[in-house]
Structures are given as structure tokens and as C-alpha cells.
């Protein structure tokens, strides 16, 4: 019998394991892309094909999940010359991220859900576990099959609808009835497919803020976990409103790690999380995402395009690191912002967001400075810091 070309098992030996709780174990056995066991002094028969990775100076944590990434590039608000580039698997994995959800943004004309699906599948081929939202800023939402429910039911990578723009001069100004219909279509499509079927809402800096979502939850039977507002830290009044929204409805809100807002900026992800916690929002109702490779456009007082930058995902990692270093949250709760909480929001909580037997072997190995040095997705190493 010919020996397999690659080991069928991987044994990670590390210094510490956060599942996110810190556990009395230092080894993780990986088999068939999943975690087979956690413990210490795990033994494998000597004739079994196993690769042993010794990293005693590193800690193992659940690999991060980015629920809002422009994997095919965003932008376009200033014409075709302002389209942002696509993301690479290397850009993602080096940040300790093993799972992303791709979004379309303003431009669903030169870009399409089919283009996004191709980008998502390309990342999957490179080892990233990638998903997508069908739709874009505008309503009615552009889809792959011509129907939101069919997209959710028949396209495995589609896990919701988004990013739908509200309270923004770039949105299609959907009516309350259109919003309710779109969310209900996503909900039923998700039910038929065995998915969460969430609606991911881009919230602009318009004066209506979260009013359309408050009305949705107050006037319909839609449950709060069906809708996720993002970019809630773009201005102070919106952040205050988001805190009350989360507490009133028991809803989850998504903070964007804008990379043009360093940690000491008023609207940084770090300061937003600190403020939300101060206002009584439970940590498990907050998530962080990057908006990576989306545009950071500037508009003048008349709403005319004035310039833009391309967003990166470095601040997603930086904000999380600062929250842990400053003791704002213990590492387990802080990990929830980019692992367990996000997995729950996306309906992936039964196989992602934790290090536990039977879960996907999505693992980041971090050093004492909380910097990712190795990243594994479904047991496959997709990043190794050469330094």
C-alpha cells in the first residue's frame, strides 16, 4: 500500500490554549480538518502518519472570523479608476483570520454577486474558509439566481444578505416595507437552507441612523438576531444610539475597525468597544469586522466625491490586541469579539469560534505580544511567519 503524500494527523504542541477559556492543556490533535482531542501528553501510535508542530512559546486561540470583507474589492464612488483591488489569502491569513464573509458595496454594476462568488471560491481554493452575502447596497438586492431565497437555499457559500445600505446618501433609500420584505426573504431562505440567513446592514452617517431597524424590530415579528448593523462607530451619536438599540432589543451590533482611525481616535474600534461596554452593552453582543479592501471615501458638504483610501484589516487585529493589553476585557471575552460572537451571528457556532473536540481546526498561534505567527484553517497551515 502506498503511503499518503501528506500526514493525515497534525499534533500541535503549544504553551497555552485559550478555547476562548484558558484550559489545562497544551496539545491539540487535528484529524480530517477538525479538532480530534485537546489535552497534554497526547499519544499517537508510532506507525500513524502524523506531523508534529512544536511551538512552546506560542498560545493557541480560535482563528479569527471577519464577517465584512470586500474580497473582490469595493469602491468605485469616484468612477472606474477608484475601484479597490481584490484581497489575497495571504492578506487574510497573516492577521490570524481563517474565515471571511465577502460583501459587495456601492458598486453592483461593474461587480456582481457572481464575481463575488468567484472570489470567494478562489479564497477557498487557497485555504481560507470563505462565504458571502448575496445583494449589495441597493434594494432590490442583486442576486445569483434572481431570488434571495433561492440564493440561500442553493448556493452553499451564501449565508445571508448584505451589505444593504441605510441612512446613507449612497443607498437606494429603501422604504420600510422594502426593508421588511428583504429581511423576511432572507429569514425564510435561511430556514429552508438550514442557515441563519442574516441581513447585514451598512449604516451611513445620515440623521435617521438605526431608525429603520428599530422600526423593523418594533413593527414586525422579525427576531433581533436576524439583522446586524455595521459601521455603528462612524459618529458619536450613532454609537450612542447603537448602545441603546443593543440593550433594548438584545441585539448584536458590529463595530468596524476603520484603519484610518488609530486606537486613540474618537471613532476607533477600540474606543467604540470601550464606550459600548461603559454604556452597559454585554460583550457577547458586540462584534468587530474590518471592511478590508473597501473604500474609505471622502465627500464634500454637497455629497460630491473628494477622494478615498483603501481599507485594510490591520486595525482589526490592532484593536483586539489593545483591548487585551489594556485590560478592557480578559482575553477570553475579547476573543469573542472576533471569534465566538461572530460565529453565533453567522450561524456557524456549532463548528467555529471555539477550540473544542469536533470543531473545525481553525487555529491561530499567537506570541506573547498577541501577534499571529501561524494560522490554520480546517487543519491546514495557511500562514507561517518566516521570522
Amino acid at each position: 500500500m502506498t503511503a499518503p503524500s501528506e500526514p493525515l494527523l497534525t499534533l500541535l504542541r503549544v504553551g497555552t490554549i485559550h478555547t476562548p477559556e484558558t484550559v489545562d492543556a497544551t496539545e491539540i490533535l487535528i484529524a480530517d480538518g477538525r479538532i480530534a482531542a485537546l489535552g497534554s501528553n497526547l499519544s499517537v501510535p508510532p506507525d500513524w502518519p502524523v506531523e508534529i508542530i512544536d511551538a512552546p512559546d506560542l498560545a493557541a486561540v480560535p482563528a479569527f472570523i471577519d464577517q465584512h470583507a470586500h474580497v473582490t474589492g469595493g469602491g468605485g464612488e469616484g468612477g472606474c479608476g477608484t475601484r479597490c483591488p481584490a484581497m489575497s489569502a495571504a492578506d487574510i491569513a497573516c492577521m490570524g483570520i481563517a474565515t471571511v464573509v465577502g460583501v459587495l458595496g456601492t458598486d453592483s454594476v461593474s461587480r456582481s454577486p457572481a464575481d463575488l462568488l468567484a472570489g470567494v471560491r478562489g479564497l477557498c481554493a487557497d485555504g481560507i474558509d470563505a462565504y458571502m452575502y448575496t445583494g449589495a447596497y441597493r434594494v432590490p438586492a442583486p442576486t445569483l439566481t434572481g431570488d434571495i431565497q433561492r440564493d440561500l437555499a442553493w448556493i452553499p457559500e451564501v449565508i445571508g444578505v448584505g451589505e444593504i445600505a441605510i441612512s446613507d446618501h449612497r443607498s437606494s433609500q429603501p422604504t420600510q416595507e422594502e426593508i421588511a420584505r428583504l429581511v423576511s426573504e432572507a429569514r425564510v431562505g435561511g430556514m429552508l437552507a438550514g442557515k441563519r440567513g442574516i441581513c447585514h446592514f451598512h449604516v451611513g452617517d445620515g440623521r435617521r441612523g438605526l431608525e429603520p431597524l428599530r422600526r423593523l424590530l418594533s413593527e414586525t415579528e422579525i427576531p433581533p438576531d436576524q439583522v446586524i448593523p455595521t459601521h455603528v462607530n462612524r459618529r458619536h451619536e450613532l454609537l450612542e444610539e447603537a448602545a441603546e438599540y443593543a440593550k433594548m432589543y438584545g441585539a448584536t451590533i458590529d463595530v468596524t475597525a476603520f484603519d484610518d482611525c488609530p486606537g486613540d481616535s474618537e471613532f476607533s474600534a477600540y474606543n467604540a468597544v470601550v464606550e459600548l461596554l461603559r454604556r452597559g452593552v454585554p460583550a457577547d453582543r458586540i462584534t468587530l469586522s474590518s471592511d478590508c479592501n473597501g473604500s474609505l471615501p471622502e465627500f464634500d458638504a454637497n455629497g460630491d466625491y473628494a477622494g478615498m483610501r483603501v481599507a485594510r484589516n490591520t486595525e482589526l487585529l490592532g484593536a483586539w490586541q489593545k483591548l487585551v493589553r489594556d485590560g478592557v476585557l480578559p482575553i477570553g471575552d475579547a476573543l469573542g469579539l472576533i471569534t465566538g460572537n461572530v460565529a453565533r451571528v453567522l450561524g456557524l457556532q456549532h463548528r467555529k469560534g471555539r477550540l473544542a473536540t469536533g470543531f473545525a481546526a481553525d487555529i491561530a498561534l499567537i506570541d506573547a505580544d498577541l501577534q499571529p505567527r501561524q494560522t490554520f484553517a480546517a487543519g491546514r497551515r495557511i500562514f507561517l511567519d518566516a521570522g
Side-chain angles (χ1 to χ4, degrees):
M1 179 176 178
T2 303
S5 59
E6 294 183 3
L8 299 180
L9 304 172
T10 302
L11 181 61
L12 299 182
R13 293 172 173 166
V14 298
T16 308
I17 297 176
H18 303 284
T19 65
E21 298 80 16
T22 305
V23 296
D24 186 19
T26 57
E27 297 180 349
I28 304 173
L29 181 64
I30 300 170
D32 193 27
R34 294 182 293 172
I35 296 173
L38 289 88
S40 299
N41 301 315
L42 296 176
S43 61
V44 177
D47 57 341
W48 284 19
V50 58
E51 178 184 14
I52 297 176
I53 297 176
D54 286 309
D57 297 329
L58 303 180
V61 300
F64 309 148
I65 305 171
D66 189 353
Q67 68 176 305
H68 186 117
H70 292 266
V71 301
T72 55
E77 291 95 337
C80 292
T82 62
R83 286 162 41 106
C84 299
M87 298 177 67
S88 72
D91 296 332
I92 297 165
C94 68
M95 292 292 117
I97 300 167
T99 305
V100 296
V101 184
V103 301
L104 290 178
T106 310
D107 180 9
S108 57
V109 175
S110 70
R111 304 189 192 274
S112 69
D115 182 37
L116 180 56
L117 178 59
V120 162
R121 289 183 174 175
L123 288 176
C124 289
D126 287 335
I128 300 296
D129 195 17
Y131 301 86
M132 64 175 282
Y133 303 116
T134 192
Y137 268 25
R138 61 187 171 96
V139 176
T143 63
L144 289 155
T145 66
D147 181 82
I148 289 173
Q149 291 191 27
R150 290 191 181 94
D151 277 14
L152 279 157
W154 302 132
I155 311 298
E157 294 87 352
V158 174
I159 59 173
V161 180
E163 58 175 312
I164 305 300
I166 58 173
S167 303
D168 194 303
H169 65 94
R170 293 168 292 173
S171 82
S172 57
Q173 312 304 322
T175 66
Q176 198 64 38
E177 290 74 18
E178 286 176 319
I179 292 173
R181 176 61 58 84
L182 183 145
V183 176
S184 65
E185 288 286 309
R187 177 167 177 77
V188 174
M191 294 170 67
L192 296 175
K195 304 173 182 176
R196 177 59 55 83
I198 67 165
C199 275
H200 193 76
F201 280 92
H202 162 109
V203 185
D205 57 7
R207 65 182 182 276
R208 287 177 295 170
L210 294 173
E211 178 187 359
L213 301 188
R214 291 201 308 273
R215 287 189 58 187
L216 176 76
L217 298 184
S218 298
E219 298 174 6
T220 73
E221 296 74 32
I222 297 295
D225 62 3
Q226 204 67 45
V227 294
I228 305 297
T230 191
H231 311 327
V232 299
N233 52 316
R234 65 169 69 248
R235 57 186 177 88
H236 188 70
E237 295 80 8
L238 179 59
L239 188 65
E240 291 179 335
E241 184 183 7
E244 294 308 309
Y245 169 88
K247 291 189 293 182
M248 177 178 294
Y249 298 104
T252 300
I253 50 179
D254 186 52
V255 171
T256 302
F258 296 116
D259 78 342
D260 60 346
C261 291
D264 57 354
S265 168
E266 179 182 3
F267 304 121
S268 71
Y270 171 85
N271 280 332
V273 172
V274 170
E275 179 67 10
L276 291 171
L277 294 171
R278 187 185 72 81
R279 290 180 173 273
V281 179
D284 66 357
R285 291 293 152 182
I286 305 170
T287 60
L288 292 174
S289 64
S290 74
D291 202 20
C292 188
N293 281 48
S295 62
L296 299 172
E298 296 178 4
F299 299 95
D300 63 22
N302 296 320
D304 294 327
Y305 174 82
M308 67 160 239
R309 292 176 55 251
V310 178
R312 301 175 299 167
N313 57 7
T314 52
E315 187 56 27
L316 178 64
L317 176 62
W320 174 76
Q321 291 171 332
K322 186 171 173 59
L323 288 166
V324 176
R325 290 169 182 160
D326 289 358
V328 175
L329 288 169
I331 189 169
D333 291 343
L335 280 168
L337 304 179
I338 50 176
T339 61
N341 300 356
V342 189
R344 186 196 71 240
V345 161
L346 299 176
L348 304 175
Q349 71 273 22
H350 300 300
R351 57 189 179 89
K352 285 182 177 288
R354 295 187 61 82
L355 301 183
T357 302
F359 273 53
D362 296 346
I363 304 165
L365 301 187
I366 59 175
D367 62 19
D369 292 325
L370 308 179
Q371 191 67 27
R373 297 301 179 188
Q374 300 185 42
T375 307
F376 296 80
R380 174 185 173 189
R381 185 159 57 188
I382 55 175
F383 168 67
L384 173 62
D385 189 341

